Amino acid sequence: RAHYLPGRGASAALKCIKNVLHTHQVAFPQHCVDWENVVTEWAKEDTSRTTERNVQKFHRDAFKYLVSFSISERVKALGVEKWRKQIQDDVNELGWFLCYRKKSTEMIYSKLARYEQLDQLREATSLLELALWKSSIDQDKEGCRDKAKVDVCRIRCGADIVVPNVLSFLLPA
């Protein structure tokens, strides 16, 4: 285990951790690390034996950074800005004290997984709507090949009925 260095040691150690993780990410992009497992295991670790406040603050800051790092690529991949901001706000606002770490970590990962599911459904429903629209154009209903009526075909393609009914089977109750 690394030992705390008084003074600026904690911030230097945190910078070192950040540099190592960034270097790993840049130099070995194909090397997969199960960061969720790393974070989850660390969340279980007992650092409460340390009584010095600076050491506990370092552990909180380092843990918070590792959580943020572990989800960064997944958060970037979310298609809805509001969800990306909400996850980052949750990471930044949580205290990451030892007694809350496990629950906080589980909450962040489960919320992110839920957003990823919803993002996939959002993309799937868009594709379904496009497929219905294309089918409508292919069948040339209402003169859909006429550029002036393409928007009418989109409105009348039935997506407003089909998509909600399909989603009712895909969304959990």
Side-chain angles (χ1 to χ4, degrees):
R1 286 184 182 237
H3 295 282
Y4 170 73
L5 301 172
R8 295 185 200 151
S11 64
L14 186 57
K15 284 180 186 177
C16 182
I17 289 170
K18 289 178 181 182
N19 286 336
V20 167
L21 293 176
H22 176 74
T23 301
H24 177 269
Q25 197 174 35
V26 171
F28 305 102
Q30 304 304 327
H31 183 250
C32 295
V33 175
D34 185 359
W35 290 111
E36 188 171 340
N37 187 43
V38 170
V39 170
T40 304
E41 287 301 314
W42 191 6
K44 296 176 190 174
E45 188 175 316
D46 180 13
T47 57
S48 61
R49 290 171 290 185
T50 307
T51 56
E52 195 172 338
R53 282 188 165 179
N54 289 338
V55 176
Q56 289 178 353
K57 182 181 180 329
F58 167 73
H59 279 276
R60 280 193 311 272
D61 292 347
F63 188 79
K64 176 180 164 181
Y65 179 78
L66 189 57
V67 169
S68 185
F69 178 83
S70 73
I71 62 173
S72 62
E73 293 302 314
R74 291 172 63 190
V75 170
K76 284 179 196 173
L78 289 175
V80 179
E81 175 66 30
K82 180 181 176 182
W83 296 342
R84 290 192 299 266
K85 184 172 176 6
Q86 194 169 19
I87 292 289
Q88 281 308 126
D89 288 349
D90 286 348
V91 170
N92 292 332
E93 290 171 8
L94 291 171
W96 297 111
F97 295 100
L98 179 66
C99 56
Y100 304 119
R101 270 190 197 167
K102 189 170 185 250
K103 286 183 181 180
S104 297
T105 304
E106 290 169 356
M107 187 269 303
I108 293 287
Y109 285 124
S110 66
K111 185 183 249 186
L112 180 56
R114 177 74 175 137
Y115 286 162
E116 287 170 330
Q117 269 183 328
L118 292 173
D119 205 34
Q120 288 175 343
L121 285 175
R122 185 185 57 81
E123 289 176 22
T125 56
S126 295
L127 288 174
L128 179 57
E129 181 180 0
L130 288 172
L132 290 167
W133 188 19
K134 182 178 183 332
S135 174
S136 179
I137 291 171
D138 288 347
Q139 291 175 8
D140 200 16
K141 292 180 181 174
E142 315 267 341
C144 288
R145 295 198 189 274
D146 180 11
K147 292 196 184 274
K149 294 186 178 180
V150 170
D151 287 338
V152 172
C153 289
R154 183 174 184 197
I155 293 169
R156 294 186 181 162
C157 71
D160 57 329
I161 296 167
V162 174
V163 170
N165 286 311
V166 169
L167 279 178
S168 69
F169 289 101
L170 298 176
L171 290 172

